[in-house]
Amino acid sequence: MNELSERKFSIPSELETHIVQSLGRLNVDLKDVSRISESILRLSDFYIHEPQSPTPWKDNWAQIAYLSYFLPLNFLRARAVIDEGSKLGFFNGLRSLIDFGSGLGSGSLSLDKIPEQLFIERSRVAQELHASFLKGQTFHRAWQSEPPPHVEQNTLSIFSYSLTELSQLPEWALESEALMIIEPATRDDGRKLLKLRSQLMIEGFHIWAPCTHQGACPLLTQSKTDWCHDRIHFEVPPWFQKIEQHLPMKNSTLTTSYLLARRSLRPTPSVEQARTVGDQVKEKGKTRQLVCRGPEREFLTWMERDWGKAVPRVPRGVLIEWPDEKSGAEKKSNEVRLKPKSPGENK
């Protein structure tokens, strides 16, 4: 297996410009790190202690915190999910989207190729901030405070950090052709998403990502603590670094849990694939990495006696070609032990 590069994402200059302009209307500059960091900590505490409450958009401190911190981070998380879906052709043929609890649009800002967009958001403040980001866009857009009674064909329904406010997925969403669900990478939210995966399959949906199969999820059936979450690397801009110096949270990497599901089947890849759903972990005499390709909980394993210190780096969350017998891979219990291409080649 060849070494793979980490997936890196950065805040687009256009989004950064919108953030600066929106903060300017609140008489805030990105250099006002003390005021910004205080607002971020306040909103972070709000989300922790009142996870089912809507964002207090009417308060200036909440707008400052969301614009400078939560918006760019959630945008990048969604961007990584959208990139993964785009590689699979997940968005092909979709003509409209419904973004539930859209806020400032972090879940849908990268989906400007879908021509009809409806945003479900009760806050007028959030609607106006979001609209200012979309000036110049050519697609048709509208805002409503409540979701439609029925969903048209070829519709993508998005739940980006909004499902936490609901006890279950709304009935109207189950009429969608496609679902994109993004949640915090916590154990509770992640395992809730694994259970929702099973329910969606009963409803006739096919899971496109992160799963590579339609069987039972081994993280749910064979573990009481595991949950599926992705990790990407964040190219932190200087202004964000200065803000983070005043925060206990650091974000060189970003994590999220997600599901991409469609009524239509996912195209069959030319080779068997698996997804790395864990980081590489060094253990005594070996390095292991949790992977997903079916209902069995499995690990890719590099034995130290074979690889020495030359274990190839494989990022979390990427699709890999599954090693076949020709590669010399050996199955031992729940481990698939990989071999170098030739004796001593990787030492």
Side-chain angles (χ1 to χ4, degrees):
M1 180 180 299
N2 296 327
E3 188 162 316
L4 300 174
S5 60
E6 302 284 3
R7 294 169 301 152
K8 294 183 178 180
F9 292 83
S10 58
I11 301 172
S13 59
E14 184 178 3
L15 178 59
E16 189 171 308
T17 298
H18 287 313
I19 291 171
V20 170
Q21 292 173 345
S22 297
L23 287 173
R25 298 186 192 103
L26 298 169
N27 297 316
V28 177
D29 188 278
L30 284 176
K31 296 178 182 178
D32 299 332
V33 292
S34 179
R35 183 181 178 187
I36 290 173
S37 60
E38 288 175 4
S39 299
I40 292 169
L41 289 172
R42 188 174 177 181
L43 188 56
S44 179
D45 287 342
F46 174 87
Y47 285 146
I48 291 171
H49 295 110
E50 301 185 51
Q52 295 184 331
S53 298
T55 301
W57 291 112
K58 290 184 179 180
D59 296 322
N60 281 6
W61 61 265
Q63 296 176 45
I64 293 168
Y66 204 93
L67 284 163
S68 61
Y69 187 81
F70 295 95
L71 171 63
L73 295 185
N74 288 345
F75 169 85
L76 292 177
R77 292 180 175 107
R79 184 67 173 264
V81 173
I82 291 168
D83 272 18
E84 195 61 32
S86 298
K87 293 174 187 175
L88 300 172
F90 177 79
F91 301 102
N92 293 350
L94 298 176
R95 297 290 302 164
S96 63
L97 69 78
I98 299 173
D99 189 349
F100 180 82
S102 55
L104 305 192
S106 60
S108 55
L109 284 174
S110 293
L111 290 171
D112 55 351
K113 292 184 179 179
I114 297 181
E116 299 285 332
Q117 302 197 3
L118 174 63
F119 307 108
I120 310 303
E121 175 55 57
R122 294 181 179 180
S123 168
R124 177 65 64 179
V125 173
Q127 289 183 16
E128 291 174 354
L129 284 169
H130 185 188
S132 70
F133 291 173
L134 301 180
K135 288 181 179 179
Q137 299 285 3
T138 57
F139 56 79
H140 179 268
R141 56 188 180 271
W143 280 263
Q144 293 179 187
S145 59
E146 298 293 337
H150 299 288
V151 175
E152 297 181 2
Q153 290 184 338
N154 300 324
T155 293
L156 165 69
S157 291
I158 299 173
F159 293 82
S160 178
Y161 292 84
S162 56
L163 199 57
T164 52
E165 300 175 18
L166 306 173
S167 58
Q168 60 185 13
L169 202 66
E171 288 294 326
W172 61 265
L174 297 176
E175 300 175 14
S176 309
E177 159 59 27
L179 294 167
M180 183 174 81
I181 304 171
I182 304 174
E183 286 293 294
T186 63
R187 180 169 65 183
D188 288 346
D189 287 307
R191 289 188 70 81
K192 179 181 177 181
L193 212 53
L194 297 182
K195 294 175 182 177
L196 177 59
R197 174 187 183 274
S198 301
Q199 296 168 7
L200 290 176
M201 292 172 66
I202 293 174
E203 294 287 344
F205 284 91
H206 301 276
I207 310 302
W208 283 48
C211 319
T212 60
H213 64 95
Q214 306 303 310
C217 175
L219 299 186
L220 185 63
T221 61
Q222 299 178 31
S223 170
K224 294 182 179 180
T225 58
D226 281 338
W227 71 99
C228 186
H229 58 288
D230 195 13
R231 182 191 305 281
I232 62 169
H233 287 254
F234 174 29
E235 295 182 343
V236 187
W239 63 266
F240 199 96
Q241 290 177 357
K242 292 178 181 178
I243 293 172
E244 279 198 326
Q245 290 173 4
H246 296 257
L247 301 173
M249 309 89 78
K250 309 303 177 187
N251 292 281
S252 60
T253 67
L254 304 176
T255 57
T256 191
S257 294
Y258 74 95
L259 283 177
L260 294 178
R262 281 192 71 151
R263 293 284 178 183
S264 56
L265 286 168
R266 175 189 173 188
T268 302
S270 57
V271 295
E272 185 180 2
Q273 293 180 327
R275 190 180 299 280
T276 56
V277 291
D279 296 312
Q280 288 179 310
V281 178
K282 188 171 179 57
E283 300 179 5
K284 185 177 180 180
K286 59 187 174 183
T287 298
R288 299 207 309 170
Q289 187 165 24
L290 185 63
V291 291
C292 182
R293 64 164 180 149
E296 184 179 353
R297 192 165 177 265
E298 293 181 298
F299 294 84
L300 288 179
T301 304
W302 296 264
M303 301 302 294
E304 189 175 322
R305 64 173 181 265
D306 297 323
W307 293 86
K309 297 182 178 180
V311 173
R313 191 172 186 177
V314 183
R316 184 190 193 114
V318 298
L319 285 173
I320 60 170
E321 182 178 336
W322 189 250
D324 56 21
E325 294 180 358
K326 295 179 181 179
S327 69
E330 181 183 14
K331 185 72 182 290
K332 289 283 188 179
S333 184
N334 64 354
E335 296 183 348
V336 177
R337 297 182 175 179
L338 305 177
K339 300 290 185 181
K341 293 181 180 179
S342 62
E345 179 180 337
N346 291 283
K347 290 187 177 180

